[in-house]
Amino acid sequence: MSALTRIDARYKELGREGRAGLVTFITGGDPDYDTSLAILKALPKAGADIIEVGVPFTDAMADGPPIQASSLRALAAGQSLKKTLAMVREFRKGDNTTPIVLMGYYNPIYIYGVDKFLKDAKEAGVDGLIVVDLPPEEDEELCLPAMKAGINFIRLATPTTDDKRLPAVLKNTSGFVYYVSIAGVSGAATPQTSNVIDAVARIKKHTNLPIAVGFGLKTPEHARSIAMGADAAVVGSALVEAVRTSLDEKGRATGKTVKAVTDLVAALAEGVRSARRKAAE
Amino acid sequence: MSDRVNSLRTGPDESGHFGIFGGRFVAETLMPLVLDLEKAYEEAKKDPAFKKEMDYHLKHFVGRPSPLYFAERLTQHFGGAKIYFKREDLNHTGAHKVNNVLGQIMLAKRMKKPRVIAETGAGMHGVATATLCAKFGLQCVVFMGAVDVARQEPNVLRMRALGAEVRPVESGSKTLKDAMNEALRDWVTNVHDTFYCIGTVAGPHPYPAMVRDFQCVIGDETKSQIMEMEGRLPNALVACIGGGSNAMGLFHPFLDDRDVEIYGVEAAGHGLNKQHAASLAGGRPGVLHGNRTYLLMNEDGQIEEAHSISAGLDYPGIGPEHSWLHEIGRVKYLSATDDEALDAFQLCARMEGIIPALEPSHALAKLEQLARGKSKDHLIVVNMSGRGDKDLASVASYLNKKMSA
């Protein structure tokens, strides 16, 4: 890939600042399109360095109950891949630097049509893709076409990705590597920091790409400890849980919904930013 | 028999594809496990001791070969083709599922995995898995949609009696697809000690091919039995399709016998223009549960809830090899509604003294179309894939509802 994407630029910037980044995940359209767009727009100011927007899917096989539930809320409110792309387009009108990564499962993209999707995603201002059920064995489906279209394809590395397999996983990865810190679904167990640090060091031996760590990070303290060893910390389930707990009894957004998310993001960002300061002290 | 170049039995290719179908669409965490399984299966296939042990258990534990039975009164009833049943309902545990489970549990043992998980719809695969885990001394956890737990209670009790843990799944539509999601979530969490025993010819490669291979005993036996009884191959084969493992097991050994007509029967539920489970008739190619195949979904690629009176067919997808056989036209796929299956259930019970499961009742429902009007030497084999004891309560409640409606 020739041109720098917003993702590449953001990690360079973080490098200059000498700190790790905060990657925040929200599900597009959760709990409804307008509230979700308001959250999305508020995230950079709250402290998100990179934003993952979940494309909801009925059968989120790799996700735990929080993200499953948030996907179903979004779908019930009428969210679709088309609307998720529209959200990104709206967001880009006011922010041309914060990287946006779409995260989800392959079927909605496959049904949308890969070529049409890549064209529309690029135009909307999408910088990267994380597609959970496309391992390197299926690179021809979307990864290679995405690279050609100038969109980063961000691969997941996991505790089961051993040194023998890592080169295959890293081969067509660009933007950054997402290290899934536990063997499990999203939002479940919290990883042992020392294991994560070791794993990041192991992956660094194989690549110069930045490494973001996610799955199971819930609190500013988790985010801080991960940020000591990784290039970015990813928080998702905790944020969609903040959405859920802010809803009224009928599951509708309240005046508290956007703030519930941005407050948590601000605290997480402070945790991440304090990591290197703390380490330097 | 055609040569290998023209054979329809050589799939999948190395990456697990049947045409565009199949593949390995799984999370990275599972990918090394899927590759390990493929390697272990390839080794086991080449090991004569594995086959020998499997044959022993198929004979002495499962009770194979299962009979090929001449359904004399049904034949008279339709007044056309000569109808045979392949009696998979007589296997230990009451369905064809055990053929595949035996192979996979032997493989789990070989791979030194002490814990086995499975998804189940009607519960027959769950019962078979619980049974073989008991026999081989492995821990067994079965995921079953909460809706299915309610409508297949006898099988829940059987699994528990066999020492398995049954976990009701409350997510999504609370049926087979959600049980499969939950099993995948468990597998991703327990990667080191757990073997995932998939019940049908679906999932990531090598499952569709491996499950098919274990089920081919159905078609292989049928071939030699019909040769012995009739001195020739049948004119037609019929089997019901959910994921499609009983059908694939019967069909596959006959794929290269091009004169044999092959019919798969999907569940048309309330009707193909209403809620149903007929992925080929009402779906299109998509990606779910590790493979590309025909799926029921909306225009955004969201998976739709299937419906069938038969819990075992209540799945919005189908094995990838069936999708391929459908597209190349080697197998013709029909469908039968809930009502048609119920009529066939009652007819078979009363005319043959065999209470069929609701799943093969869908295949029986097509005999009207496939047998009536045919000549007396037209031979049809129906795969009687399971027995119907488990369905008596839901059949009774359905019929009561219909009578009071």
Side-chain angles (χ1 to χ4, degrees), chain B residues 23-297:
Chain B
R24 287 177 286 210
F25 297 89
V26 294
E28 173 57 26
T29 314
L30 293 182
M31 201 57 223
L33 282 67
V34 166
L35 293 173
D36 277 354
L37 174 64
E38 186 183 353
K39 192 163 155 265
Y41 176 53
E42 288 304 319
E43 284 167 11
K45 249 200 308 198
K46 290 185 200 116
D47 180 355
F50 186 83
K51 187 178 183 315
K52 197 175 160 209
E53 188 188 343
M54 187 149 176
D55 288 345
Y56 176 87
H57 295 307
L58 282 173
K59 182 176 176 192
H60 297 285
F61 189 69
V62 176
R64 301 204 71 92
S66 69
L68 185 68
Y69 161 80
F70 172 41
E72 196 173 354
R73 290 193 66 214
L74 268 186
T75 297
Q76 284 166 5
H77 172 80
F78 290 112
K82 189 168 182 184
I83 299 165
Y84 282 93
F85 291 166
K86 179 58 175 166
R87 297 292 307 276
E88 293 299 302
D89 59 317
L90 292 178
N91 293 339
H92 179 40
T93 74
H96 71 290
K97 293 291 187 188
V98 68
N99 305 326
N100 159 51
V101 173
L102 171 63
Q104 289 199 52
I105 298 304
M106 282 176 51
L107 209 51
K109 194 92 182 159
R110 203 177 157 98
M111 294 175 77
K112 302 196 166 45
K113 305 275 186 187
R115 180 174 180 269
V116 172
I117 56 170
E119 83 295 333
T120 196
M124 298 311 277
H125 175 60
V127 166
T129 308
T131 298
L132 283 152
C133 283
K135 176 176 164 53
F136 284 91
L138 302 177
Q139 185 195 344
C140 179
V141 178
V142 179
F143 294 90
M144 188 169 186
V147 168
D148 293 337
V149 168
R151 66 177 159 177
Q152 302 285 337
E153 202 201 357
N155 275 344
V156 175
L157 298 177
R158 288 169 81 194
M159 286 184 270
R160 290 189 175 138
L162 290 158
E165 180 192 345
V166 179
R167 290 199 197 156
V169 174
E170 298 284 350
S171 61
S173 59
K174 304 177 190 183
T175 60
L176 182 53
K177 117 185 139 75
D178 309 284
M180 195 150 183
N181 288 334
E182 217 51 46
L184 285 164
R185 290 180 188 120
D186 181 289
W187 202 23
V188 97
T189 309
N190 300 292
V191 289
H192 297 296
D193 67 345
T194 297
F195 185 98
Y196 182 15
C197 181
I198 293 185
T200 191
V201 284
H205 178 64
Y207 283 101
M210 178 175 71
V211 176
R212 173 201 70 199
D213 294 348
F214 290 144
Q215 290 293 1
C216 274
V217 65
I218 302 172
D220 288 335
E221 281 178 9
T222 300
K223 228 175 187 178
S224 59
Q225 288 166 324
I226 197 105
M227 288 305 290
E228 195 177 303
M229 295 166 85
E230 296 282 350
R232 63 186 179 92
L233 294 181
N235 298 83
L237 306 172
V238 197
C240 66
I241 311 249
S245 70
N246 89 82
M248 193 58 75
L250 176 64
F251 297 171
H252 207 264
F254 290 93
L255 287 179
D256 289 335
D257 301 302
R258 306 292 171 109
D259 293 338
V260 178
E261 297 169 22
I262 305 182
Y263 299 94
V265 184
E266 297 189 287
H270 298 310
L272 287 179
N273 54 352
K274 298 181 188 140
Q275 252 205 327
H276 63 83
S279 320
L280 292 176
R284 59 206 163 116
V287 173
L288 180 73
H289 291 155
N291 57 185
R292 177 170 15 234
T293 192
Y294 273 73
L295 298 170
L296 300 178
M297 60 181 129

